[in-house]
Amino acid sequence: AQTVTQSQPEMSVQEAETVTLSCTYDTSESNYYLFWYKQPPSRQMILVIRQEAYKQQNATENRFSVNFQKAAKSFSLKISDSQLGDTAMYFCAFMKQSGSEKLVFGKGTKLTVNP
Amino acid sequence: EPEVTQTPSHQVTQMGQEVILRCVPISNHLYFYWYRQILGQKVEFLVSFYNNEISEKSEIFDDQFSVERPDGSNFTLKIRSTKLEDSAMYFCASTREVSGELFFGEGSRLTVL
């Protein structure tokens, strides 16, 4: 079975600074997807960034980038130039590439961006 | 922008009562899901639904749970006889393709007394 661990329950960062959220996972699969989802207060979860395990290049979406270390089973999220609107719960999630459609989530990291 | 909508946003029920949670997925999506999050715990997969049948379910999704898409738009989760431990936030999600981006609703909070 797959597991996803987010070791930082809460983090805070000053506006315009950079913050890195950690995520590790455990799997015996070779091919899979990794995701970061963001859930702002009282809003739905939205996809921030997605990484295919077969791709060595780290995914990037504007101010959001990941550091994907397949051998170490690590998938951290870096948020550059943090904005007040980045305040949210961030969930790391895993999905097998085949044989299952389910997302396996970590417990989440509550990020607060301070003015 | 299209959204997944869920109703009710909060439901309080007595133990043993039936509950139906409703979801309207995005209209051109083909895959539908229910997840739940018990307070303080991880978001957990319950069930996936494609082509009018369950494609995968977790061990949580026992005989007390059922899903259906009766009219091609609503996607419902029914809990036949609620237990205290069913208290949770229930999230509906949909996507156009497996491994694509999941679009989540805002959730329905169920409180079982």
Side-chain angles (χ1 to χ4, degrees):
Chain A
Q2 289 75 35
T3 58
V4 176
T5 302
Q6 293 179 251
S7 58
Q8 304 150 318
E10 290 192 43
M11 291 191 75
S12 62
V13 64
Q14 291 299 121
E15 202 175 358
E17 292 187 350
T18 295
V19 64
T20 299
L21 309 184
S22 302
C23 172
T24 58
Y25 59 94
D26 191 25
T27 185
S28 56
E29 301 287 321
S30 304
N31 298 313
Y32 48 87
Y33 303 97
L34 294 164
F35 306 84
W36 279 98
Y37 278 87
K38 165 186 175 181
Q39 187 181 30
S42 302
R43 298 298 315 275
Q44 58 263 69
M45 260 188 284
I46 55 174
L47 180 67
V48 175
I49 202 162
R50 176 175 177 264
Q51 175 84 40
E52 290 96 335
Y54 66 86
K55 288 188 178 176
Q56 291 189 332
Q57 188 170 8
N58 288 323
T60 300
E61 280 292 333
N62 301 315
R63 298 181 295 107
F64 298 88
S65 61
V66 297
N67 183 2
F68 173 47
Q69 301 288 329
K70 192 173 184 180
K73 294 180 181 168
S74 168
F75 183 61
S76 60
L77 175 71
K78 184 169 88 170
I79 306 173
S80 304
D81 185 25
S82 298
Q83 300 175 1
L84 297 178
D86 296 334
T87 292
M89 280 292 285
Y90 286 81
F91 294 97
C92 179
F94 170 101
M95 179 190 283
K96 288 163 66 171
Q97 187 171 339
S98 62
S100 175
E101 302 168 42
K102 70 178 182 186
L103 281 171
V104 177
F105 284 90
K107 271 189 110 167
T109 295
K110 185 178 178 183
L111 176 68
T112 303
V113 180
N114 298 309
Chain B
E1 191 170 323
E3 284 190 340
V4 174
T5 56
Q6 289 185 241
T7 54
S9 55
H10 189 193
Q11 181 155 356
V12 181
T13 191
Q14 294 292 324
M15 192 168 57
Q17 295 296 304
E18 175 182 285
V19 158
I20 297 176
L21 304 179
R22 291 183 168 80
C23 170
V24 179
I26 294 172
S27 62
N28 64 349
H29 284 186
L30 303 173
Y31 299 84
F32 313 105
Y33 305 85
W34 284 100
Y35 286 79
R36 79 171 186 191
Q37 185 178 29
I38 294 171
L39 191 64
Q41 297 188 25
K42 295 183 179 185
V43 176
E44 303 171 288
F45 169 80
L46 290 178
V47 66
S48 58
F49 193 84
Y50 170 73
N51 200 24
N52 249 3
E53 59 183 28
I54 290 173
S55 46
E56 186 177 359
K57 61 183 181 178
S58 71
E59 49 290 347
I60 303 167
F61 195 88
D62 61 20
D63 292 344
Q64 292 300 312
F65 291 88
S66 62
V67 289
E68 63 175 3
R69 197 160 178 251
D71 56 9
S73 62
N74 290 288
F75 178 51
T76 62
L77 174 69
K78 184 195 290 188
I79 310 173
R80 259 179 271 285
S81 177
T82 49
K83 307 183 190 103
L84 295 176
E85 55 264 36
D86 293 328
S87 293
M89 182 73 93
Y90 288 81
F91 295 102
C92 175
S94 69
T95 186
R96 193 150 167 74
E97 56 185 23
V98 177
S99 81
E101 176 180 356
L102 249 62
F103 290 80
F104 285 86
E106 288 191 19
S108 293
R109 179 169 296 285
L110 176 65
T111 302
V112 182
L113 303 176

